[in-house]
Amino acid sequence: MFDSPMSSSAYEVLRVAADADDESLRRAYRVRLRETHPDTGGDAAQFVQVQRAWELVGTPEARSAYDRGRGSSSPEWGGASAASPAPRQTDTRPRARSHGQPGGWRRERYLGLIREWVGRGVEIPDPYDPALVRSAPPEIRHILADALAEEETARLVSELGMGYTVWHDVLADRDGIDPEQKIDHLVLGPSGLHALLSEDFGGPVGVRRGEISGPNVIGSPVTELVSRARVIARAAGVRFSGALVVLPDDDVLDAITELGKVRGTPVALVTRSALTTLLRRGITGGREVGGTELFDIRTRLQQRVRHV
């Protein structure tokens, strides 16, 4: 929590100024508890977020530590494009076959937009500096958050093992020209062929009429993912076993939420920590593949997949 470019600060979750006195902070916490408590009609995911915010700033010691780190410490947002070299790979276990650069297109998009936003000719020593990122408009921060989400999903699916094949940043535009029309990941294994969307909306989300809902949700992510999967299915002559929307653990209450079929494709929301479990067992209603069929699907995709 609070480690994403899209995340609200603990103070923003509690809806209080960062320089509020301790009594004002406590009052704000009590108000937010009443507003978000499930027993009074509130949202359970937001209720948990309020409690975690209080853990970070609810005591003088915790608040002092949080304030010292706020705006200056962050996860490794720079990733592979940061100045420091990537750590050496010490895990020798067999990995899933992987094609494409996860998060690469969104990384490039973010770098172009952040430089344009700052202003041409202005030097940016570190485009991933937390203070700079958090000051940027939400649409720019969302692009970086999604790039990080894609990279984390790629790390997780690589651990599925050599029986799986993964394609990242797959173009799914009928005309083959719009990089916005892409699928973040295709994962093929014994449980079937799955289309994955890696998302980070910066806070709790819910489900309404089979679609993701929330204050930061734009468009119809589930519908768009299924539509893009159908483009790939027609082009390669394959069938998808499921479509998965991968979300941060704190953004949904249940690790796996199956939404039933959308246009004939089983759909589920899944937390990052439950992703590999779901991909190994398969989604309800999804079709397993094996033997020569698995090799045939992999060959078809290899011949048809284009990366953005």
Side-chain angles (χ1 to χ4, degrees), residues 77-96:
W77 289 353
S81 56
S84 57
R88 290 186 62 186
Q89 179 67 46
T90 57
D91 189 346
T92 58
R93 290 177 298 175
R95 300 270 168 167

Side-chain angles (χ1 to χ4, degrees), residues 281-292:
R281 85 172 194 205
I283 187 173
T284 302
R287 191 174 67 91
E288 296 183 355
V289 297
T292 58

Side-chain angles (χ1 to χ4, degrees), residues 251-264:
D251 286 5
V252 284
L253 285 177
D254 298 318
I256 299 173
T257 303
E258 298 198 2
L259 305 182
K261 291 187 177 182
V262 176
R263 301 183 69 181

Side-chain angles (χ1 to χ4, degrees), residues 201-216:
F201 296 109
V205 298
V207 177
R208 184 178 181 184
R209 296 177 181 176
E211 187 56 83
I212 301 174
S213 63
N216 298 322

Side-chain angles (χ1 to χ4, degrees), residues 4-7 77 103 105-107 109-110 113-114 133-150 180 184 197-203 205 212 214-219 221 224 245-248 251 272:
S4 159
M6 284 294 290
S7 298
W77 289 353
W105 183 80
R106 293 202 189 279
R107 284 274 188 182
R109 181 94 171 121
Y110 166 77
L113 289 175
I114 196 72
V133 172
R134 294 195 186 282
S135 67
E139 57 269 22
I140 296 180
R141 289 187 281 122
H142 191 192
I143 290 172
L144 177 58
D146 279 353
L148 295 168
E150 291 177 30
E180 291 277 3
D184 295 341
L197 167 66
S198 297
E199 258 295 355
D200 182 351
F201 296 109
V205 298
I212 301 174
N216 298 322
V217 178
I218 300 174
E224 292 167 10
V245 180
V246 188
L247 297 166
D251 286 5
R272 291 173 185 165

